Each structure stands twice: as C-alpha cells, then as structure tokens.
C-alpha cells in the first residue's frame, strides 16, 4: 500500500510537532507532502531537512525567501511558497490524501474549508473552523465526501465512544447526552478576588497539558471548553442541551457519552495529544503513538465537578452565542483572539478577557451565517470593535 500523503497545517505548533512525532514512528505508512507554518523559518527548515516535503509554506514572502535559500543550500527538493493561497493549495492539491488542520485561530478557516471541499481526510485540530462556520463547513464535508476526524482530545474521545452510525442521529442511537470533560485549568480553586492579578506565565502553566500560549489562556478562562461545546454541536449534530461540561481535574477521562439505558462509555488515557492524532491518522485502524500506558493504580482517583459559570464567564458566553446562532460564535471567537493577545502582551487583565468579549458581543449584533463572506465580515468587524475598545481602555 502506498504511503498516505499528508499536509500539516501548523507544523511548528504543539499539534504539528506531535503529528510529526507519530509520523516519524511509521515511515512506511505516511509521507509528508507539505509543511506549513507562520514565521518560524529555522524550525520549519529543520522539519524540511528531516521529512523532505515537496512543499513548505510560510506566512510572508521574506520568510519564504529565506527558507528557500536554506533549502537550496542544503540541496533539499522542497519548493517554498507563502500566503493564504499557498495554504489553500497545500490542503486541496490532488496528490494530498489527508490534511492535519492545526493552524490556531481564524487563520485556519480558509485552508481547512478548502480541504473539505476537495474531499480530503480532514484531521481537525482547529476548533475555530467549526466555531466560525460550523454549518458551512459541515455542509462542505457532506457534499464533497470528505472524511472528518476530530483531533481535539475531547471530541476524539466522544467519536470513539459513539456508535459508528451516529450520523443517523444521536437520539436514534440511544444517546442521552455528551459529557465534555474539562480540567478546569490552573485557577479552578483560586479565590476570585485574586484572578485580576494573574500573569500570563501563570495562565500558561497548565497543570496537565503542554500547549501553546493562546490555547493555554483559553483553558484558564474555559473559553477553550466553550469553543469545544460549539464544536461538538456541529461535529455530532448535538443540540446544546445535550452537551454537558464536566470539570475533571485529572484529565484522564477525555470525554464520555451517556446512553438512555444508563450506560456511560468513556475514553481514558494519559494527557498526550499523540493518542488522538494517531487515532485520526490510522482510523479505522490503531497504531502506536509513543504514549505510555495509563496506570490506573498510580492515578488512584478520578474527580468530577460541575462548572462554575461565575468563575468561568467565557464558558457561559459560548453557550449564549451557540443559542443565538448565525455569526455570533464567529464574533465571540474574534473578540477572544484579540483579548487573549492583549492579555499576553500585558495590556489587559486576566479578568478583563471575558469583559471585552461580552462588550464586543453587546456592540455588534449577529447576522446570518449565509456564506463564507458573511463569516469573514463578522470576524473583521468584531476585531475592529475589540481594537477600538482596547484603545479606549488604554487612553482612560
């Protein structure tokens, strides 16, 4: 059997690195066709030296020129391109079998949608695609015959716990509810009065997972879980009332499905993203991921709590925009990206992330998610309003 030709969108991020680690363990099964990153020339060059992809893509022309020079000097066969159009090509060229969609944020929307429209196997680690354009994206998957496999550990766990024919409807399969677990992040028990002084370093110190800075902050505010609720709604065609967030500090139960007969099927494992990545790469088979076996005796106990919506206001906002529908989720996602960037830059207090998100939602009415242009326009308007509010705050 010929190796699966893989494009990795976001190859220098944490998901991209874990993906390449799994690929490295199975050289006969997988061939890296394209590697895509934003601006990390040296890191992408090191990956090109090892995996010798046909293409590499960077965000800017100058960085791409620097990488192309390095590849020529090293006598590598890699052609370097840049920009959004190049990302779209890498996700949709006929030679590509599968696309790991691991670009963080709204930037991943266009190439991931292109992969779906090209009928690829889409390994979805970019939840913002479904948050911003869930109806459009799922329609593209269905119309063009793409295979959609969730890579987020929670949604991958749910996928494993659902029956194979869940597309005929969750209720028809006897599903009562989806139990979406969350660690609660580093501030689950921190006094509310102390949250305003939280630093970026503290927010990025997740107790269980090794992740990028943006997603680490989202985990600390539980916005990440809110985005995952929206993602689950589209992935599994689940009404919001069927999706229950469960705080589980140990991050061992990655999520579960509760059935009408009282059964609960859960997927457990060590908190390592290589497990869901390997599952998605090899599905419906299973391959070694390099992850240590789960030692239940060492863990000893598993705890579960309901989420505190006063502490985690961003989670409540996510449920609100899911109920509102249309472009409301895209507006929240855009506002949050700006808010988190401002917090990481020291321009916004941790507790003001939720406040800015709410202010943008209040100031920008949602419209229908009629087309990709509608989504992109809502995203741009939300970012513009968030920037105006940030500037006004800084000039007070």
């Amino acid at each position: 059997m010929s190796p699966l030709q893989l494009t990795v969108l976001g190859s220098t991020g944490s998901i991209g690195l874990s993906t390449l680690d799994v690929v490295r363990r199975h050289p006969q099964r997988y061939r890296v066709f394209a590697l895509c990153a934003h601006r990390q020339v040296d890191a992408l060059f090191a990956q090109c030296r090892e995996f010798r992809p046909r293409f590499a893509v960077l965000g800017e022309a100058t960085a791409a020129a620097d990488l192309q020079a390095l590849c020529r000097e090293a006598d590598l066969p890699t052609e370097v391109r840049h920009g959004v159009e190049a990302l779209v090509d890498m996700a949709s060229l006929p030679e590509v079998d599968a696309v790991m969609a691991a670009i963080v944020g709204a930037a991943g929307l266009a190439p991931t949608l292109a992969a779906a429209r090209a009928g690829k196997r889409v390994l979805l680690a970019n939840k913002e695609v479904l948050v911003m354009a869930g109806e459009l994206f799922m329609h593209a998957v269905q119309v063009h015959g793409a295979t959609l496999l969730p890579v987020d550990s929670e949604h991958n766990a749910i996928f494993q716990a659902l029956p194979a024919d869940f597309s005929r409807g969750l209720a028809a399969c006897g599903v009562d509810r989806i139990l979406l677990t969350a660690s609660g992040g580093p501030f689950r028990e921190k006094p509310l009065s102390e949250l305003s002084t939280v630093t970026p370093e503290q927010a990025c110190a997740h107790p269980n997972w090794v992740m990028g800075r943006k997603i680490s902050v989202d985990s600390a505010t539980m916005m990440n879980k809110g985005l995952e609720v929206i993602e689950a709604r589209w992935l599994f065609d689940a009404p919001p009332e069927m999706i229950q967030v469960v705080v589980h500090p140990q991050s061992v139960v990655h999520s579960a499905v509760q059935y009408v007969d009282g059964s609960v099927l859960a997927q457990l494992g060590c908190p390592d993203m290589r497990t869901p990545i390997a599952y998605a790469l090899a599905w419906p088979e299973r391959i070694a991921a390099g992850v240590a076996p789960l030692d239940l005796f060492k863990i000893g106990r598993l705890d579960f709590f309901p989420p505190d919506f006063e502490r985690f206001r961003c989670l409540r906002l996510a449920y609100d925009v899911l109920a509102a529908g249309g472009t409301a989720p895209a507006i929240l996602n855009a506002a949050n990206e700006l808010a988190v960037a401002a917090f990481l830059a020291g321009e916004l207090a941790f507790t003001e992330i939720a406040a800015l998100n709410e202010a943008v939602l209040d100031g920008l009415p949602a419209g229908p998610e009629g087309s990709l242009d509608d989504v992109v326009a809502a995203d741009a308007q939300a970012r513009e309003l968030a920037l105006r509010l940030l500037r006004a705050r800084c000039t007070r």
Side-chain angles (χ1 to χ4, degrees):
M1 185 174 67
S2 299
L4 181 144
Q5 299 287 321
L6 177 67
T7 286
V8 183
L9 302 173
S11 67
T12 59
S14 60
I15 297 295
L17 293 173
S18 293
T19 300
L20 293 177
D21 185 69
V22 175
V23 168
R24 185 181 293 118
R25 297 168 187 275
H26 303 276
Q28 303 306 314
R29 293 186 65 120
Y30 305 106
R31 173 83 172 87
V32 176
F33 178 82
L35 294 171
C36 309
H38 183 43
R39 61 166 64 97
Q40 295 191 47
V41 173
D42 292 340
L44 191 54
F45 174 60
Q47 292 178 349
C48 289
R49 286 181 66 109
E50 179 179 1
F51 294 98
R52 302 177 71 85
R54 181 172 170 185
F55 292 99
V57 177
L58 283 161
E60 299 174 353
T62 302
D66 291 342
L67 179 59
Q68 188 68 81
L70 289 171
C71 288
R72 286 199 190 101
E73 185 177 342
D75 197 27
L76 297 179
T78 303
E79 177 183 337
V80 183
R81 298 176 59 184
H82 73 277
V84 176
E85 289 187 8
L87 290 175
V88 168
D89 286 345
M90 296 307 106
S92 56
L93 285 172
E95 298 93 330
V96 175
D97 298 313
V99 177
M100 171 57 74
I103 294 176
V104 176
L109 176 58
T112 309
L113 185 57
R117 288 172 171 168
K120 305 301 184 185
R121 173 184 284 222
V122 181
L123 316 181
L124 187 64
N126 179 311
K127 62 180 64 64
E128 290 84 359
V129 170
L130 286 172
V131 170
M132 295 177 65
E135 187 173 4
L136 289 169
F137 183 77
M138 294 307 296
H139 179 73
V141 168
Q142 293 159 8
V143 169
H144 298 284
T147 299
L148 181 60
L149 296 165
V151 171
D152 267 350
S153 62
E154 297 83 357
H155 302 86
N156 188 272
I158 294 163
F159 185 84
Q160 294 189 51
L162 284 171
D165 62 346
F166 73 86
S167 60
R168 66 188 175 95
L170 296 183
C173 294
V175 174
D176 182 58
R177 69 176 58 190
I178 287 171
L179 303 176
L180 191 69
T181 57
S183 71
F187 309 131
R188 184 176 61 85
E189 298 180 330
K190 193 176 184 68
L192 293 177
S193 60
E194 297 178 12
L195 290 179
S196 61
T197 59
V198 161
T199 67
E201 289 68 29
Q202 291 172 322
C204 290
H206 195 282
N208 301 330
W209 294 93
V210 177
M211 305 181 292
R213 287 171 68 80
K214 195 270 181 183
I215 193 173
S216 294
V217 175
D218 282 347
S219 180
T221 64
M222 277 190 75
M223 175 59 83
N224 190 52
K225 200 55 50 180
L227 299 181
E228 288 176 2
V229 169
I230 301 172
E231 183 181 7
R233 180 265 174 273
W234 293 109
L235 276 173
F236 309 115
D237 195 20
E241 61 272 15
M242 190 180 277
I243 307 169
Q244 172 68 57
V245 173
V246 178
V247 177
H248 168 51
Q250 291 90 353
S251 296
V252 170
V253 177
H254 296 304
S255 278
V257 176
Q258 181 174 307
Y259 288 86
V260 293
D261 64 0
S263 300
V264 176
L265 301 186
Q267 188 266 336
L268 285 69
C270 294
D272 191 316
M273 284 305 299
R274 290 176 297 176
T275 295
I277 288 168
Y279 182 87
L281 277 171
W283 180 86
E285 302 176 39
R286 291 183 184 265
I287 58 174
V291 179
L294 183 65
D295 187 341
L296 290 173
F297 299 112
K298 183 177 180 180
I299 294 166
R301 60 180 286 176
L302 300 173
D303 298 308
F304 304 94
F305 307 96
D308 180 347
F309 286 103
E310 180 183 1
R311 176 181 298 274
F312 299 115
R313 291 164 56 198
C314 287
L315 178 60
R316 170 55 65 193
L317 289 176
Y319 272 104
D320 290 345
V321 299
L322 183 55
T327 59
I331 292 169
L332 175 60
N333 179 71
N336 185 67
E337 287 190 16
L338 268 292
V340 171
F343 167 69
L344 289 172
E347 300 169 357
L348 197 67
F350 180 76
T351 49
E352 292 178 313
I353 295 174
L356 181 62
N357 290 338
E358 192 165 10
V360 173
L361 286 168
D362 289 343
L364 188 60
E369 185 196 306
S371 68
L372 183 59
D373 288 341
D374 294 331
V375 173
V376 172
D379 176 87
Q381 291 164 5
R383 291 172 191 275
E384 181 181 354
L385 177 55
L387 281 173
R388 288 205 308 269
L389 293 172
L390 279 169
R391 292 192 190 104
R393 178 193 173 280
C394 292
T395 56
R396 285 203 303 264

